[in-house]
Amino acid sequence: METPNKCSSSKQKLSRRTFVKAGAAVGAVAAVGGLTACATSAPKTDPKPAESTEVAEDIFAGAQEFYASCPPECQHHNLKALVKDGKIIKVEAGVNNESLPCLRGMSRVEWLNTDARLTKPLLRDGEKGDNKWKEISWDEAIAMVAEKLQDAIDTVGNAGIVCDSHAGNFNALAGAVAPAFIARIGGAMSLTGTLCCAGTNGATTTMLGRRFYDTRNTIVDSDYILVWGNNPAVSMNGYFERFVKVMDKGGKVITIDPVHSETASKSTDWVPITPATDTALALGMLKVIVDEKLHKEDFIKAHTTAPCLLDKSGLPVMEKADDKTSYMVVDSKTNTVVRHDSAGVDPLLTVKGTQHEASYTTIFDFTMAECAQWTPEAVEAETGVPAAKVTELARDYANAKNGMIIQNMGGFMRTSYGTYAVASQNNLALFTGQIGRAGTGLYDAGGVTNFLKLTAMFDNPKVEGLPSVPRVQFAHHVLNDTPNPIKVFISSRESPMTQWPNSGLLKEALKKIPFVVVIDSLMTSTALYADLVLPCAAVFETEDLMANARSHLVQLSDKAIDPPGEAHDDLWIFTQLAKKMGVGADFEHDNEYYIRKALEGTEFTYDQLKKEHAIDAYPKDFIPYQDGEFYTETKKAEIYQAGWASKGVKPVPSYYKGAETVGGSSGLDAKYPLAVVQRKLRSCVHGTFGALAMMENVNRNHACVMVNPKDASARSIADGDSVVVYNDRGEHKAKAIVTENVIPGVIVAENGWWEQQGGSSSYVTNDSVGIISGEHCCNETLAEIKKG
């Protein structure tokens, strides 16, 4: 693991005690709310210094307090700002947080005060990427955007416009205004797919009926946790202490990951795995569980579609063709074929060895057939996980009193078949009954949207018939004019140049688009390639509402200060555009009006939030899928997915080797033999916060890549060397961390670096689209590394 401000090898793994001390130190820094100091040796003094009557001035005396949510994709902690003379002088923990905010949230004190803030509309005054601008007025800027939008509509149609945002700000009003404006001018081409969690969307939502039903309130009730391919010590660090408590009381936390991450360093055990092979491991574990009769037949029969029949062509046997819930089973009591939900039915889990075998199979048997080849030895050959460890993991998970899998937005799902990886883990929980009780389950990142539905702030007209393209292949579509040319791209609440794959190609696309508008508060990597940059307000500079799928809180974000210069919030910007284009009638209201409207129909009011700031709206005793009650049409966990079969793949979890892997069909491993996976840093959320000096001081101001000593030696790379990771897509410059904390054949790149810091690791990442759910394939990437 890295030490702050430099790259260093990590041949000694951190003990749990060392890690706790380090975490406490970071917490101490966070507590000062953005004020940092360098320690120096104290001067020698007399043993009995003279008494002083001087009283230190309390710089916070008389400060006003304001509260707001920290809105990027994370835990949405509530923050408190102290304001004096119209300036925020400190940011600290707010109210009613389920865990303490991290240093990223505290760093907003710098964000709000930095001279790097954008204060006026900027028009490009050179080539894209040159960072040369001239200031223009808002009237000129709004007129220009309106003119370019109208030109796109007149020449290409609304499909020639793309207006996109992603995970930079989850506040409700900030997220509502751009779609409301676009709907009123006739719509635009849309971008589909997520960069992080298409696998859970495609698997958990369809199999279990809901995705964001989180387990984190009952983590401490678990005695065995598999942290699979993610790093909650960094990404969910606010409540990572709950994982530590599991171990403190004798439970186990096992991290499955190609890299010995911060979480792995804290865990009971680290299980390294070859990237993009996680489905093979899960199928092998399930085979051990069923072969050793560790599965829970009663739970499977009562709460899943596993006993349901398939005909010999592999299609579900239904009582009624037009009723998707009318699965049929063989009733063991009567030996007849009946509906799965018939009163008193006791279905056979398998029809092998019965008279029905000639006509049918069950979804259970069909599922286990996909596991048949995955003996522990076969799993070891494919994944690198030792056969004995495969068996141990399967037994320990199945036999745990309360077993949990933390999959979250795991890197394993950012591959071509990421949906299968998620689904295979889901089956482990379903077949062992490790779901529906405290201390069990699959996913600990959820929020109040499970129980709270906000009223739409804008009643948008319905727009149909416009094309959509996968977000990760946006650049290809722009450069090839498919399905049509893009003339205007508006980007807000995101920075594609730090996050979207194949950054070099994306850069060319941004250069080709005639008019690119970026709305942001800082000159981001994407803003460098814009034609027009519009300065927007930040947190504490505008009033908004937070009620999202990441936090248990409903929060009102106060406006504490005015934004700098001529910066404005999203509502103001899109209101001016709407008025200019003659569609402004629905925008004639202030922030409070829209927040009050959003809260209509909920149990919360604007006045209540104004007083309490943040309210925990998540039931403390909530158990996801309690007692096996799922949210599908059948009310059961649906193992078989006809939608997958329609895409030419198996309708149950199966292992397909990724194309851009060692031994994969791309053949790129002959030229680029190293697998590249991404890791998140404690200094940023995606690209957010990463360029702030405060975060650079805590971490460092340049990218590093982790490389195993075996791979480094073969390339004459030493710890700390400047290196270049490269493939046919591009190059990523960094410094080497030579460490055994990453397995041979894998290099670990870091997510989130800005162009101004040397550029994103996304310059080399795979921009293929996943087979089932449009998965982002960044962790299915091959490259080479050299000194440079």
Side-chain angles (χ1 to χ4, degrees):
M1 299 201 342
E2 313 90 45
T3 55
N5 303 314
K6 66 178 182 178
C7 297
S8 64
S9 62
S10 301
K11 295 179 181 178
Q12 274 195 320
K13 298 175 183 176
L14 292 181
S15 69
R16 285 180 57 196
R17 177 176 293 275
T18 303
F19 189 97
V20 170
K21 287 181 178 178
V26 172
V29 174
V32 303
L35 304 177
T36 56
C38 295
T40 57
S41 298
K44 292 183 178 180
T45 59
D46 293 332
K48 295 181 179 179
E51 291 185 10
S52 173
T53 58
E54 184 176 340
V55 178
E57 179 186 0
D58 182 359
I59 63 172
F60 304 120
Q64 292 179 285
E65 296 180 353
F66 295 87
Y67 296 83
S69 172
C70 194
E73 184 179 39
C74 195
Q75 295 170 239
H76 303 312
H77 286 108
N78 189 257
L79 304 175
K80 179 170 72 173
L82 301 184
V83 179
K84 287 185 75 172
D85 302 321
K87 181 179 180 180
I88 289 180
I89 58 174
K90 184 179 183 182
V91 174
E92 60 186 14
V95 296
N96 214 7
N97 284 303
E98 57 179 319
S99 58
L100 287 175
C102 69
L103 187 58
R104 291 170 290 202
M106 307 304 186
S107 71
R108 288 193 175 276
V109 71
E110 177 190 346
W111 190 329
L112 292 160
N113 291 297
T114 177
D115 291 338
R117 285 291 300 276
L118 302 177
T119 60
K120 291 187 177 183
L122 299 175
L123 182 65
R124 178 169 58 86
D125 194 26
E127 296 299 316
K128 289 186 180 181
D130 287 349
N131 201 15
K132 294 180 179 178
W133 310 92
K134 62 180 180 181
E135 295 178 352
I136 63 174
S137 70
W138 270 107
D139 286 344
E140 292 175 293
I142 294 298
M144 187 179 299
V145 177
E147 177 187 344
K148 298 295 185 180
L149 288 170
Q150 192 61 56
D151 174 68
I153 294 169
D154 293 341
T155 56
V156 178
N158 285 74
I161 302 167
V162 173
C163 182
D164 192 60
S165 60
H166 215 54
N169 184 337
F170 274 38
N171 276 320
L173 183 52
V177 293
F181 166 70
I182 291 296
R184 282 159 180 77
I185 64 169
M189 179 188 288
S190 60
L191 306 183
T192 61
T194 75
L195 299 179
C196 60
C197 41
T200 45
N201 287 341
T204 302
T205 304
T206 56
M207 293 176 70
L208 310 184
R210 301 272 178 89
R211 169 191 160 192
F212 282 110
Y213 269 30
D214 72 86
T215 64
R216 67 177 176 262
N217 281 350
T218 71
I219 286 172
V220 294
D221 296 305
S222 184
D223 61 325
Y224 189 85
I225 298 178
L226 293 175
V227 177
W228 206 315
N230 59 95
N231 189 9
V234 168
S235 59
M236 297 294 174
N237 62 316
Y239 58 82
F240 188 72
E241 65 196 44
R242 303 179 194 187
F243 293 85
V244 176
K245 287 179 180 178
V246 170
M247 293 180 284
D248 286 345
K249 68 179 185 179
K252 294 182 178 180
V253 174
I254 314 296
T255 296
I256 302 172
D257 202 307
V259 59
H260 191 263
S261 64
E262 290 86 344
T263 299
S265 72
K266 281 284 292 174
S267 298
T268 311
D269 195 9
W270 170 45
V271 180
I273 186 171
T274 300
T277 65
D278 302 80
T279 302
L281 173 58
L283 295 177
M285 289 172 61
L286 188 59
K287 175 176 170 59
V288 170
I289 287 166
V290 173
D291 285 351
E292 297 188 2
K293 295 182 171 35
L294 301 176
H295 57 298
K296 301 295 189 290
E297 273 203 30
D298 288 348
F299 185 92
I300 298 169
K301 290 195 295 183
H303 301 295
T304 80
T305 59
C308 298
L309 297 175
L310 303 175
D311 62 25
K312 284 304 180 179
S313 65
L315 296 175
V317 178
M318 297 292 194
E319 181 185 53
K320 299 177 182 178
D322 60 350
D323 183 355
K324 295 180 180 180
T325 69
S326 62
Y327 285 99
M328 306 298 283
V329 298
V330 174
D331 183 12
S332 64
K333 297 176 182 176
T334 62
N335 201 33
T336 58
V337 176
V338 300
R339 275 185 67 118
H340 72 101
D341 50 4
S342 299
V345 66
D346 180 24
L348 292 177
L349 199 52
T350 177
V351 294
K352 288 183 178 179
T354 73
Q355 69 187 72
H356 302 283
E357 185 176 8
S359 302
Y360 308 113
T361 188
T362 64
I363 293 175
F364 175 84
D365 285 331
F366 193 73
T367 300
M368 295 313 301
E370 293 303 311
C371 302
Q373 66 175 304
W374 295 109
T375 63
E377 293 72 24
V379 173
E380 178 175 354
E382 185 65 20
T383 69
V385 178
K389 180 61 71 174
V390 175
T391 301
E392 176 189 317
L393 291 171
R395 290 172 178 168
D396 287 354
Y397 176 69
N399 288 324
K401 179 181 178 182
N402 295 313
M404 186 179 289
I405 297 175
I406 302 297
Q407 55 186 202
N408 285 355
M409 288 70 72
F412 60 83
M413 69 180 74
R414 295 170 198 168
T415 59
S416 294
Y417 298 96
T419 299
Y420 275 154
V422 176
S424 62
Q425 294 169 23
N426 292 353
N427 277 353
L428 287 172
L430 294 168
F431 279 50
T432 57
Q434 296 285 22
I435 193 167
R437 305 186 316 277
T440 69
L442 293 154
Y443 194 90
D444 72 318
V448 295
T449 46
N450 289 324
F451 307 99
L452 176 75
K453 184 172 177 58
L454 297 178
T455 300
M457 293 178 167
F458 297 89
D459 300 315
N460 295 334
K462 193 171 185 180
V463 177
E464 296 180 327
L466 288 168
S468 62
V469 299
R471 177 174 279 101
V472 297
Q473 290 204 316
F474 173 69
H476 291 274
H477 288 276
V478 170
L479 294 172
N480 294 316
D481 289 334
T482 55
N484 53 255
I486 299 299
K487 299 196 74 172
V488 177
F489 176 48
I490 301 175
S491 177
S492 66
R493 303 189 298 124
E494 64 178 6
S495 184
M497 278 298 297
T498 60
Q499 295 301 308
W500 296 10
N502 201 347
S503 298
L505 200 69
L506 177 61
K507 184 189 299 183
E508 294 306 309
L510 293 175
K511 289 180 177 180
K512 180 183 177 181
I513 298 171
F515 195 63
V516 175
V517 181
V518 168
I519 302 171
D520 216 305
S521 60
L522 299 170
M523 184 59 68
T524 65
S525 300
T526 307
L528 292 174
Y529 299 96
D531 296 278
L532 179 67
V533 180
L534 302 179
C536 72
V539 173
F540 287 115
E541 295 171 348
T542 181
E543 189 175 50
D544 214 321
L545 175 70
M546 171 65 74
N548 198 262
R550 289 287 187 271
S551 171
H552 290 180
L553 301 178
V554 177
Q555 304 178 64
L556 180 68
S557 286
D558 294 332
K559 179 177 180 179
I561 58 173
D562 290 326
E566 298 176 14
H568 290 283
D569 67 11
D570 297 69
L571 176 61
W572 186 93
I573 293 170
F574 283 100
T575 296
Q576 305 315 305
L577 282 171
K579 289 179 178 178
K580 191 69 176 179
M581 297 194 74
V583 293
D586 295 329
F587 292 79
E588 297 288 347
H589 303 286
D590 62 10
N591 300 56
E592 179 181 335
Y593 170 88
Y594 293 108
I595 294 169
R596 286 184 181 275
K597 184 176 180 181
L599 292 169
E600 291 174 359
T602 74
E603 61 183 287
F604 307 104
T605 67
Y606 175 88
D607 296 323
Q608 179 186 13
L609 287 172
K610 196 73 177 172
K611 179 180 179 181
E612 299 183 44
H613 312 298
I615 300 171
D616 190 340
Y618 213 83
K620 297 298 183 187
D621 58 352
F622 174 72
I623 307 294
Y625 317 110
Q626 189 162 11
D627 300 325
E629 180 181 340
F630 297 98
Y631 296 90
T632 60
E633 290 185 77
T634 60
K635 307 302 181 186
K636 296 179 179 180
E638 300 195 356
I639 309 297
Y640 180 104
Q641 290 294 321
W644 302 348
S646 69
K647 299 179 181 181
V649 295
K650 297 288 180 64
V652 298
S654 182
Y655 179 70
Y656 293 76
K657 195 171 188 66
E660 194 168 328
T661 59
V662 174
S665 61
S666 71
L668 288 172
D669 55 329
K671 188 176 181 181
Y672 303 116
L674 298 175
V676 183
V677 297
Q678 304 282 311
R679 73 183 295 254
K680 295 184 181 297
L681 296 174
R682 62 185 176 177
S683 56
C684 58
V685 180
H686 306 310
T688 307
F689 303 110
L692 297 177
M694 183 175 175
M695 302 314 299
E696 289 182 334
N697 291 338
V698 169
N699 191 54
R700 46 183 150 72
N701 62 2
H702 60 269
C704 288
V705 295
M706 299 170 71
V707 56
N708 185 272
K710 179 180 177 181
D711 296 320
S713 176
R715 294 159 177 81
S716 300
I717 294 171
D719 189 59
D721 279 351
S722 294
V723 294
V724 178
V725 180
Y726 65 97
N727 56 22
D728 291 343
R729 298 184 192 95
E731 297 182 346
H732 173 57
K733 296 180 180 180
K735 290 190 177 181
I737 301 174
V738 178
T739 173
E740 293 178 353
N741 284 348
V742 59
I743 61 177
V746 176
I747 51 180
V748 183
E750 298 170 343
N751 179 272
W753 291 102
W754 292 30
E755 291 283 283
Q756 298 91 323
Q757 298 169 310
S760 168
S761 58
S762 294
Y763 273 95
V764 302
T765 50
N766 186 354
D767 57 1
S768 297
V769 177
I771 305 299
I772 303 174
S773 307
E775 296 93 333
H776 179 204
C777 300
C778 66
N779 284 335
E780 187 183 313
T781 293
L782 293 173
E784 182 57 279
I785 188 170
K786 64 182 180 182
K787 275 185 165 182

